[in-house]
Amino acid sequence: MAHIELSEQEIGRRESMAKLRELGIEPYPAPLYPVNIDTDTIKEEFKAEENNLQDICIAGRIMSRRIMGAASFIELQDDCGRIQVYIKRDDICSGEDKTMYNTVFKKLLDIGDIVGIKGFAFITQTGQLSIHAKELTLLSKSLKVLPIVKESDGKIHDAVTDPELRYRQRYVDLIINPAVKDVFFKRTKIMQVMREYFNEAGCLEVETPILQSIPGGATARPFITHHNALDIPLYLRIANELYLKRLIVGGFKGVYEFAKDFRNEGMDKTHNPEFTCMEIYVAYKDYIWMMEFIEKLIEKIAVSVNGSTKVKVGENEIDFKAPYRRLTLRDAIKEATNIDIAGLNIDELRAACKKLNVEYEESMGEGKLIDAIFGEYCEDKLIQPTFITDYPVSMSPLTKRHRDNPDITERFELFVGGKELCNAYSELNDPIDQLGRFEEQARLKDAGDDEAMFIDYDFVRALEYGMPPTSGLGMGIDRLTMFMTGQTTIQDVLFFPQMRPENFGKKDSSTEQE
């Protein structure tokens, strides 16, 4: 095991821990502590004229302290916020023995320690709501030193912004940057609203396999592992689409799942190799119905989470008020480049890419060439919510052909802030057509496209039993959370984003002090 060099302060905290034990005080006592209130409740319910909240028990972390003579103050932080605590020597040491105050509190406790306080609420002479401690209990000794962050008037000053610390040590980020918690509270609220909306529509939340023998439902490079007992390769799912559609074949009216998906691809501000995707499939519906269904949901989420349909994301104010603009892929590209992609073969598409200075690889099929043009010239211009519809068949191997034009499909993607948020189809339910699309994907894979789909013969067999007309949609929860919370990087909406392994042999470089 690599040697971890301790700082002088860390050594001092370990010495304090040993002295506590010498005094008979366990720095990590049994977990039960009778908390009966939190800081938010104290701030909401305390009424000085009624002299209420006279028997409270709260627990939290010491975030600052002012040590004086026989009386001192600490700032206590729980999961709701911070509150001042007044600690008087003769109150927490009622007898002759003043060790608890003079030695334990003044010398052996540190910023970051978790303590329990029993006492009563009151207003100080300076008008500050506080807790008068009658009893103080050490609940957990902190051996690491927190970065110093100043708070006044409920606002954080000199917040820690170093992403290496914030993302790698999210637990520290949550302690010292309380506003970060709000992002994750909103993330949970987003998913609660979605569940309620889908359940009211009669859909069933389900679970499907993460380990799959064939990674299907999307064009992406999978992570590969090995099952020892079966002696077969398995893949972490890249999507749950094909399993959910099997359930529609089985007779469910509508199913949805919040799924952890995995794609062995690059990382940037909007991509993480592990991400959360919600997929929903509803029988006897089409992509037009799904557009209306989902734009109403997104508007509902915005209002529920932020109290308004308008959200500031970076320099843009995005309005999620339905309905959203609808534009075909063909018209979007033609509008941006003056090139009509309809009917162009692969050589003509390569020529168009060269003319437009769009990079491409020879292994790319028609679909990826069109996608490259769209990505270069159109995508980042779509700031307000916009449905891009009617993609070519070559770009949509799982999508039903358009009822009026067999060269395109009944598919849409919803773009917001220059990024894709949703992808939806009228689902392909013709097993012969589906097998042909899979075979075309196999040819692309043989030609060097390592993101092309595998042939899933069992899924084709399921379709042969008959799948009703169905509409399906996939939505990235991480990206939706970014938009609804005004974040510009996916790392800020993931508790633990993927990072390179840390070298624990190096000395901790954080500039910590008390």
Side-chain angles (χ1 to χ4, degrees):
M1 180 177 177
H3 174 69
I4 301 176
E5 185 178 347
L6 300 177
S7 69
E8 183 178 342
Q9 290 174 313
E10 290 170 333
I11 293 171
R13 289 190 175 213
R14 281 163 170 76
E15 291 172 349
S16 294
M17 180 177 65
K19 291 175 182 176
L20 285 166
R21 287 193 166 119
E22 289 174 6
L23 292 171
I25 298 174
E26 172 53 48
Y28 306 101
L32 181 63
Y33 189 75
V35 173
N36 62 17
I37 204 164
D38 56 42
T39 54
D40 274 356
T41 304
I42 294 173
K43 293 171 184 176
E44 291 168 3
E45 297 186 0
F46 178 67
K47 295 178 175 58
E49 66 277 9
E50 296 179 8
N51 201 32
N52 63 335
L53 301 185
Q54 295 300 292
D55 187 16
I56 61 179
C57 181
I58 192 170
R61 192 180 297 272
I62 298 173
M63 297 304 293
S64 68
R65 53 184 190 160
R66 286 179 285 147
I67 302 295
M68 295 178 279
S72 300
F73 290 92
I74 65 171
E75 190 173 37
L76 192 76
Q77 177 174 290
D78 66 4
D79 66 326
C80 296
R82 298 185 182 187
I83 194 166
Q84 179 174 271
V85 179
Y86 171 67
I87 299 173
K88 189 176 179 181
R89 180 187 62 195
D90 293 338
D91 285 337
I92 67 170
C93 305
S94 56
E96 294 296 323
D97 185 359
K98 306 301 181 183
T99 303
M100 185 63 190
Y101 184 84
N102 292 336
T103 302
V104 175
F105 174 71
K106 293 179 71 173
K107 298 179 180 179
L108 301 180
L109 294 191
D110 296 287
I111 291 175
D113 288 351
I114 298 173
V115 297
I117 300 291
K118 292 182 180 179
F120 58 89
F122 77 111
I123 302 294
T124 66
Q125 291 181 350
T126 59
Q128 185 170 350
L129 175 62
S130 304
I131 300 172
H132 187 130
K134 304 297 289 184
E135 180 181 307
L136 181 149
T137 304
L138 175 62
L139 300 177
S140 182
K141 180 67 182 167
S142 174
L143 300 182
K144 297 286 286 185
V145 186
L146 289 174
I148 292 298
V149 177
K150 297 177 183 178
E151 179 179 319
S152 63
D153 300 324
K155 296 181 179 179
I156 295 294
H157 304 278
D158 303 320
V160 174
T161 58
D162 176 19
E164 176 69 16
L165 172 65
R166 293 191 57 233
Y167 303 148
R168 191 178 298 282
Q169 299 181 49
R170 179 67 84 186
Y171 38 88
V172 176
D173 184 37
L174 292 166
I175 294 169
I176 63 178
N177 294 326
V180 172
K181 283 185 178 179
D182 186 56
V183 172
F184 293 98
F185 282 131
K186 287 183 175 181
R187 181 185 176 107
T188 296
K189 178 67 174 178
I190 288 167
M191 296 172 74
Q192 288 174 341
V193 172
M194 295 176 79
R195 282 189 167 96
E196 292 169 2
Y197 187 79
F198 296 149
N199 292 344
E200 289 173 3
C203 298
L204 179 71
E205 184 171 8
V206 299
E207 294 177 300
T208 60
I210 294 175
L211 286 173
Q212 301 179 353
S213 58
I214 296 175
T219 53
R221 184 186 304 169
F223 287 94
I224 305 174
T225 186
H226 185 83
H227 192 286
N228 292 334
L230 295 177
D231 193 25
I232 59 171
L234 289 175
Y235 303 86
L236 293 179
R237 70 177 166 203
I238 56 176
N240 51 345
E241 175 172 343
L242 302 188
Y243 282 92
L244 291 175
K245 287 196 281 194
R246 285 172 169 93
L247 297 180
I248 296 295
V249 171
F252 287 99
K253 167 188 172 183
V255 292
Y256 69 94
E257 180 178 16
F258 290 91
K260 279 291 186 183
D261 291 341
F262 307 84
R263 298 183 183 179
N264 198 351
E265 300 167 346
M267 297 184 293
D268 57 30
K269 289 185 176 183
T270 59
H271 293 88
N272 195 66
E274 174 185 354
F275 61 97
T276 302
C277 184
M278 186 289 305
E279 294 200 29
I280 182 169
Y281 295 83
V282 185
Y284 307 110
K285 305 298 183 183
D286 64 6
Y287 79 136
I288 301 298
W289 176 89
M290 185 63 79
M291 272 189 262
E292 298 172 356
F293 181 71
I294 216 65
E295 66 187 358
K296 291 176 183 176
L297 167 63
I298 295 173
E299 178 184 342
K300 181 180 179 70
I301 290 171
V303 173
S304 298
V305 171
N306 294 306
S308 169
T309 61
K310 296 180 179 180
V311 181
K312 188 72 181 296
V313 182
E315 298 179 353
N316 300 308
E317 182 179 75
I318 296 175
D319 191 350
F320 290 101
K321 176 71 175 176
Y324 303 153
R325 183 190 184 200
R326 288 151 170 75
L327 183 68
T328 68
L329 179 69
R330 176 186 178 183
D331 287 345
I333 292 177
K334 190 174 182 179
E335 188 178 281
T337 68
N338 290 321
I339 292 177
D340 190 348
I341 61 170
L344 297 186
N345 61 35
I346 193 165
D347 292 329
E348 292 167 331
L349 287 170
R350 287 172 180 158
C353 287
K354 289 180 181 178
K355 179 180 179 181
L356 297 170
N357 294 317
V358 174
E359 293 185 4
Y360 69 92
E361 297 177 4
E362 292 299 321
S363 62
M364 286 183 173
E366 294 175 7
K368 286 206 167 184
L369 293 169
I370 293 171
D371 194 43
I373 295 171
F374 176 80
E376 184 71 26
Y377 279 86
C378 305
E379 191 168 331
D380 61 356
K381 310 296 191 304
L382 302 172
I383 304 302
Q384 297 303 319
T386 303
F387 289 116
I388 300 297
T389 68
D390 302 346
Y391 286 65
V393 172
S394 57
M395 294 181 69
S396 313
L398 298 169
T399 313
K400 200 175 189 69
R401 293 177 189 268
H402 197 282
R403 64 199 73 181
D404 298 322
N405 182 351
D407 293 329
I408 59 175
T409 60
E410 297 194 351
R411 173 186 176 187
F412 72 78
E413 289 183 299
L414 175 60
F415 287 86
V416 179
K419 300 294 180 182
E420 176 204 341
L421 177 59
C422 302
N423 187 19
Y425 319 144
S426 294
E427 300 296 335
L428 178 58
N429 59 346
D430 179 339
I432 306 302
D433 192 356
Q434 181 63 83
L435 180 58
R437 308 269 194 99
F438 277 151
E439 289 171 341
E440 174 57 28
Q441 288 288 302
R443 285 189 285 272
L444 292 173
K445 186 173 287 292
D446 291 340
D449 186 348
D450 57 7
E451 294 185 348
M453 290 186 184
F454 290 63
I455 299 178
D456 189 334
Y457 289 105
D458 178 69
F459 177 67
V460 174
R461 179 171 59 188
L463 293 184
E464 289 175 341
Y465 281 98
M467 184 176 81
T470 298
S471 181
L473 174 138
M475 179 188 298
I477 298 301
D478 309 321
R479 201 166 284 181
L480 176 63
T481 304
M482 288 172 61
F483 293 133
M484 291 300 169
T485 59
Q487 304 302 310
T488 56
T489 64
I490 194 171
Q491 289 81 10
D492 286 322
V493 300
L494 299 173
F495 273 128
F496 304 106
Q498 190 65 47
M499 301 185 74
R500 292 184 183 277
E502 186 175 7
N503 184 351
F504 272 97
K506 291 184 178 179
K507 187 181 186 299
D508 188 350
S509 61
S510 58
T511 55
E512 303 153 332
Q513 61 181 14
E514 284 195 41

